[in-house]
Amino acid sequence: HLPLPHPPAPPTMSGIGTGYDLSSTTFSPDGRVFQVEYAQKAVENSGTVVGLRCKDGVVLAVEKIIPSKLLVPGTMRRAHLVDTHAGLAVCGLLADGRQLVVRAREECAQYRDSFGAAGGEAAAGVFAKGKQGSAVIPGHVLAERVANFVHLYTLYWHVRPFGCAVLLATYEKEPQLYLVEPSGVCYRYFACAVGKGKMVAKTELEKIDSTTITAREAVKELAKVIVGVHDDAKDKQYTLEMLWVCDESGRKAQMVPQELVEEAHQAAIKAAESDDEDMDDAE
């Protein structure tokens, strides 16, 4: 009798990333989780989002890429209000970001139900209180709860990580700025940038003195940052979205008035064009 053929060898996972990126529950030999790294790539390929903590509040600015001229203005919003004192901006996959917005709003509502009007007097010395006597969720608690929710989606094989990062702005006793990454890690910043232009944006943000600048001044500075990092060759159409929570807004999270955004945007464009002309003249 002829010898039976040997069965095919099982697939190997010898290459870097080969086979180790099929699930977020699998570690590579050097301790990496490729699914989380791929989610971070989705963030890095998105429009730039910047945030700045000022002496009187926090301002978030979003470079929202417009894929079609036929879109109605205001569609595909990336800056959202989640509570009276908190708002967030999404960088990365927009649909994933909406789920985090919903989760953040649920956390705010649940906190009010637990420590709100009924327990407001007892919690007066511990929790920040709204004007109606209901307790609002502290910024660090909201950021940690959102981060924990994001982290859960890196622990199970039947779900995938969120392909987005969020910047969270809150104002209770003092303004706070947080970043939640796809890995579930949460950071607190004076100024932060994420997206395709984050390296250039961070360099510009480091030049701003966050201890002296006001929120209204920050609107103009962040507009300059977004205009500076935008690549006209790749993404010709974009709009500027801004959200703030500051003393000027009564410590309430609000979208920055459109006329103020447009004024800052046009001034930033003119300043960039003037700088280009000066460079041409110097050459």
Side-chain angles (χ1 to χ4, degrees):
H1 298 286
L2 295 176
L4 295 176
H6 293 288
T12 62
M13 298 190 295
S14 57
I16 296 178
T18 303
Y20 294 104
D21 58 356
L22 301 179
S23 170
S24 60
T25 61
T26 303
F27 283 90
S28 69
D30 54 352
R32 298 163 63 184
V33 181
F34 287 103
Q35 286 284 320
V36 175
E37 294 184 14
Y38 297 160
Q40 187 63 40
K41 284 293 184 182
V43 175
E44 295 174 358
N45 292 331
S46 179
T48 307
V49 180
V50 294
L52 178 63
R53 173 186 168 181
C54 318
K55 69 176 184 179
D56 63 340
V58 182
V59 183
L60 305 179
V62 182
E63 176 200 13
K64 187 174 74 173
I65 307 300
I66 304 299
S68 172
K69 295 181 180 179
L70 302 178
L71 282 176
V72 176
T75 306
M76 299 171 55
R77 177 175 291 182
R78 288 186 173 271
H80 302 268
L81 309 178
V82 296
D83 203 349
T84 56
H85 71 302
L88 61 78
V90 177
C91 182
L93 301 183
L94 188 57
D96 288 16
R98 285 202 301 267
Q99 296 303 313
L100 295 185
V101 172
V102 171
R103 180 68 181 194
R105 289 171 176 169
E106 290 175 350
E107 292 290 352
C108 294
Q110 183 273 333
Y111 194 93
R112 285 182 184 275
D113 290 341
S114 299
F115 307 105
E121 295 300 326
V126 181
F127 303 106
K129 299 187 65 183
K131 292 184 179 180
Q132 290 77 28
S134 58
V136 297
I137 185 169
H140 70 278
V141 175
L142 177 59
E144 289 171 359
R145 290 188 179 185
V146 173
N148 288 339
F149 181 72
V150 172
H151 182 233
L152 283 176
Y153 279 73
T154 69
L155 301 178
Y156 304 100
W157 65 268
H158 55 276
V159 294
R160 66 166 176 80
F162 284 94
C164 64
V166 295
L167 285 178
L168 177 66
T170 68
Y171 197 165
E172 306 118 45
K173 294 182 179 179
E174 60 179 358
Q176 305 291 351
L177 173 65
Y178 299 91
L179 168 65
V180 179
E181 293 187 341
S183 61
V185 178
C186 177
Y187 300 98
R188 179 179 167 189
Y189 283 100
F190 292 110
C192 182
V194 287
K196 61 178 64 176
K198 70 175 183 179
M199 298 307 296
V200 177
K202 286 181 178 179
T203 301
E204 296 301 319
L205 290 173
E206 289 174 354
K207 301 176 183 178
I208 302 174
D209 186 359
S210 62
T211 61
T212 59
I213 192 171
T214 64
R216 181 171 283 268
E217 295 169 343
V219 169
K220 299 178 182 179
E221 293 298 326
L222 294 187
K224 292 179 182 178
V225 173
I226 294 296
V227 170
V229 301
H230 178 71
D231 188 353
D232 290 328
K234 296 181 179 179
D235 304 305
K236 295 185 180 300
Q237 298 293 327
Y238 79 102
T239 59
L240 184 59
E241 281 188 353
M242 285 193 170
L243 178 150
W244 66 8
V245 49
C246 58
D247 291 339
E248 186 170 340
S249 66
R251 296 194 177 186
K252 293 182 179 296
Q254 296 177 352
M255 301 300 294
V256 179
Q258 191 60 33
E259 59 272 13
L260 184 57
V261 175
E262 286 297 329
E263 178 185 349
H265 192 195
Q266 293 304 319
I269 293 175
K270 291 181 180 179
E273 292 174 350
S274 177
D275 291 341
D276 292 339
E277 292 176 357
D278 293 341
M279 292 180 62
D280 293 340
D281 293 341
E283 293 177 357

